[in-house]
Amino acid sequence: MKIQNQTLVSRIMQCMLIALLLISFGCKPKVKEVKKLSDDERMEWWLDARFGMFIHWGAYSVPGGERNGKICGGGAEWAMDKLDYTIEDYEKEVTAKFNPTEFDADSWVAMAKDAGMKYIVLTTKHHDGFCLWDSKITDYDIMEASPFKRDIVKELSEACKKGGIKFCIYHSIVDWHHPQAQAPLYPNYNAGQKDQTVVNPEFPKYYENYLKPMVKELLTNYGDIGVVWFDGDWIADYTTEMGKDLYKTIREIQPNTIVNNRVDKGRTGMDGMDQDGEFAGDFGTPEQEIPATGIDTDWEACMTMNGSWGYKPSDKHWKSNKVLIQHLVDIVSKGGNFLLNVGPDSKGLFPPESVERLKAIGEWTKVNGEAIYGAKASPVNRPEWGRYTRKEGVVYAHVFDWPEDGQIKIDGKLKVKKASLLTDAGKELEIKQSGESSIVVVGPKVAPDTIATVIKLELAQ
Ligand code: FHN
């Protein structure tokens, strides 16, 4: 024992000597220097990307929105609340059974990329409080509370990096599992803080000792995080001071990360945009809706493919390929991003209905991506046949309703010198004057693409 102590002392002395030598020779330990971008530079990749994948995945995929023959209303990720689990029931019946042995991060990334998506936002923790990464802050995580014992955040973040796609995280402010987030009701919980009169004096402790350290942990251990996407901002216990502090903390660790507006308390409702005032956050978050017109600030519409964020096999209300592709175009024509959701099952597989839709969207974006990525809002009013998007010197006409005579009327404000089809490998189309100020582009009688045919209009300078 004595010998061991002596060895320890001499080791400490050696280390101190090396440290002193390094300091005296002016050597500093190597820390990765990150260039702090301006706000415009920071938002650039995200604005160019236009299309991302939301992944709502957690232990709630085990019941899939169904318990003892009862099906929960709304999103299946709310099963804990909607299907009346106690915290204990949920731990035993749901979390302890989450063992997604088929999970393959590379195949998820490949499906997102093939669909034309440029970033992935994964739910690291949803309202049920279960954490998908190896956290030192809680045992209620994938390593301790479920049999899977693989760090999902690590695997997906690495697969994204390898695949050249941005990895982003969703994180819930609401936590139905944590005692301090739920006091004074614990072990019952006030899901979604439906009763806003229940004041929780413990919440600031949950914020300081749990929520904030977790966000720091995620930003420190998983490489570059493209976006931090908060949710649960509506609960009364969460304050604008906490939001501003969280935003600052994130930018101190990763100065170039983008943060959604749900980090603060400015959001007005499902339209996702902030009321007037000084609120933290870099973009608005319309949910399950698309603004009627363009908005002169950055925003991203998030949407489900059926009616649920989490896996819910009973929900058969799948949006068609046509609806989803036209939503993408509509959103970009109004200057927004589209975050389209997938809710993988409890084995770690995407539902076949989602896979089909991703493939169809991918076929369209492969041909027409030029009119989406890096494109901006339409410079003119919406035409009756579809939408416009624009780039420097070019406007793209996305024709949803192809006219029977194949003649597409173009807004008179656009001075077009050349028109060609993206859909048909750049085939040039005739331009005809129509009246004093308008032109028509003459296309084939049959729509080259029944969902959205894109005509590239090159403008005279
Ligand atoms: O309650 C959640 C819901 O489960 C889902 O995560 C969506 C995604 O935007 N956000 C919340 C409701 O606003």
Side-chain angles (χ1 to χ4, degrees):
M1 193 62 172
K2 203 173 161 204
I3 295 172
Q4 274 179 1
N5 280 346
Q6 275 175 353
T7 320
L8 191 68
V9 170
S10 69
R11 288 247 166 88
I12 293 172
M13 301 258 300
Q14 272 175 5
C15 289
M16 284 169 68
L17 197 66
I18 292 169
L20 268 172
L21 281 170
L22 284 175
I23 292 165
S24 57
F25 285 108
C27 301
K28 285 188 193 141
K30 274 195 181 156
V31 178
K32 197 182 148 204
E33 286 278 321
V34 179
K35 184 180 170 243
K36 193 170 178 199
L37 303 175
S38 69
D39 280 347
D40 283 350
E41 289 168 335
R42 188 165 60 90
M43 297 302 292
E44 204 175 288
W45 74 263
W46 184 83
L47 287 170
D48 282 351
R50 289 297 179 212
F51 190 27
M53 178 182 279
F54 217 169
I55 301 182
H56 271 72
W57 197 41
Y60 44 77
S61 56
V62 173
E66 207 168 333
R67 186 186 190 201
N68 303 330
K70 190 180 162 198
I71 292 181
C72 76
E77 70 287 356
W78 276 68
M80 184 172 168
D81 167 51
K82 298 273 173 71
L83 296 176
D84 307 318
Y85 288 94
T86 61
I87 290 178
E88 230 185 1
D89 290 341
Y90 196 80
E91 284 175 355
K92 273 197 233 133
E93 293 175 36
V94 178
T95 315
K97 294 202 174 134
F98 184 55
N99 193 19
T101 47
E102 305 290 315
F103 169 58
D104 172 14
D106 290 326
S107 80
W108 284 16
V109 168
M111 282 188 277
K113 282 177 67 176
D114 286 347
M117 292 156 157
K118 306 291 182 190
Y119 56 105
I120 290 180
V121 182
L122 172 73
T123 50
T124 51
K125 174 183 87 128
H126 204 266
H127 311 334
D128 64 0
F130 176 60
C131 299
L132 291 193
W133 76 100
D134 181 5
S135 177
K136 299 288 166 277
I137 296 148
T138 183
D139 283 349
Y140 198 52
D141 70 354
I142 193 78
M143 309 310 272
E144 306 291 333
S146 92
F148 193 49
K149 301 191 192 310
R150 274 166 52 190
D151 186 332
I152 289 166
V153 175
K154 182 167 188 284
E155 291 186 25
L156 192 62
S157 61
E158 287 175 359
C160 283
K161 193 167 181 196
K162 196 162 64 165
I165 180 168
K166 294 268 185 187
F167 177 69
C168 312
I169 56 172
Y170 165 109
H171 201 79
S172 174
I173 293 161
V174 170
D175 194 312
W176 300 332
H177 184 267
H178 193 275
Q180 285 172 331
Q182 290 305 324
L185 296 177
Y186 190 83
N188 296 321
Y189 49 92
N190 189 9
Q193 208 161 356
K194 284 182 206 129
D195 185 352
Q196 299 246 334
T197 63
V198 178
V199 178
N200 176 5
E202 301 283 294
F203 194 86
K205 290 188 200 147
Y206 158 78
Y207 172 74
E208 274 304 330
N209 305 325
Y210 196 77
L211 180 64
K212 191 164 134 181
M214 273 188 173
V215 172
K216 283 186 178 174
E217 186 174 55
L218 286 164
L219 280 154
T220 309
N221 296 343
Y222 298 96
D224 290 344
I225 304 292
V227 176
V228 187
W229 211 107
F230 286 103
D231 203 5
D233 50 335
W234 62 83
I235 58 170
D237 296 327
Y238 185 67
T239 63
T240 188
E241 289 74 29
M242 291 173 187
K244 289 179 174 59
D245 176 58
L246 206 45
Y247 183 86
K248 190 169 143 266
T249 306
I250 291 167
R251 300 281 312 279
E252 273 163 13
I253 304 173
Q254 293 207 23
N256 301 325
T257 296
I258 297 170
V259 186
N260 74 342
N261 67 341
R262 300 188 188 190
V263 70
D264 202 339
K265 305 281 288 184
R267 185 163 68 110
T268 44
M270 293 307 227
D271 76 346
M273 304 313 289
D274 280 352
Q275 56 193 289
D276 285 343
E278 287 294 304
F279 295 101
D282 299 310
F283 64 91
T285 50
E287 178 168 327
Q288 303 284 36
E289 58 183 75
I290 302 172
T293 58
I295 305 174
D296 194 19
T297 163
D298 296 332
W299 59 276
E300 173 191 69
C302 58
M303 202 172 278
T304 48
M305 287 196 198
N306 58 356
S308 176
W309 300 96
Y311 177 64
K312 191 177 184 187
S314 61
D315 182 341
K316 309 282 185 210
H317 295 104
W318 293 91
K319 296 176 183 80
S320 66
N321 298 332
K322 178 176 172 173
V323 165
L324 294 171
I325 291 169
Q326 293 189 351
H327 277 342
L328 172 64
V329 174
D330 185 26
I331 289 167
V332 178
S333 81
K334 295 168 182 167
N337 278 22
F338 190 26
L339 187 62
L340 182 59
N341 185 70
V342 175
D345 69 13
S346 62
K347 288 280 154 240
L349 300 173
F350 284 8
E353 293 87 346
S354 302
V355 175
E356 255 172 57
R357 282 158 181 76
L358 291 171
K359 273 199 190 131
I361 298 170
E363 279 161 23
W364 188 88
T365 52
K366 262 177 210 85
V367 176
N368 301 294
E370 176 186 330
I372 296 292
Y373 309 118
K376 294 192 168 55
S378 169
V380 289
N381 284 342
R382 171 163 130 184
E384 61 198 9
W385 40 254
R387 302 287 184 276
Y388 290 114
T389 60
R390 101 184 123 92
K391 279 185 179 170
E392 191 61 44
V394 179
V395 166
Y396 297 93
H398 300 249
V399 188
F400 297 168
D401 300 313
W402 192 264
E404 276 177 9
D405 60 4
Q407 307 218 354
I408 324 293
K409 216 171 166 192
I410 302 298
D411 192 298
K413 289 193 201 99
L414 302 172
K415 305 292 166 226
V416 180
K417 65 171 186 209
K418 184 179 169 192
S420 56
L421 284 172
L422 289 192
T423 318
D424 201 358
K427 184 171 185 268
E428 196 166 338
L429 301 179
E430 184 195 345
I431 302 172
K432 278 198 326 198
Q433 197 63 36
S434 157
E436 281 267 298
S437 57
S438 284
I439 57 161
V440 290
V441 167
V442 186
K445 295 253 164 33
V446 179
D449 186 322
T450 50
I451 294 180
T453 301
V454 183
I455 304 171
K456 179 174 181 175
L457 305 169
E458 290 168 58
L459 305 180
Q461 294 307 317

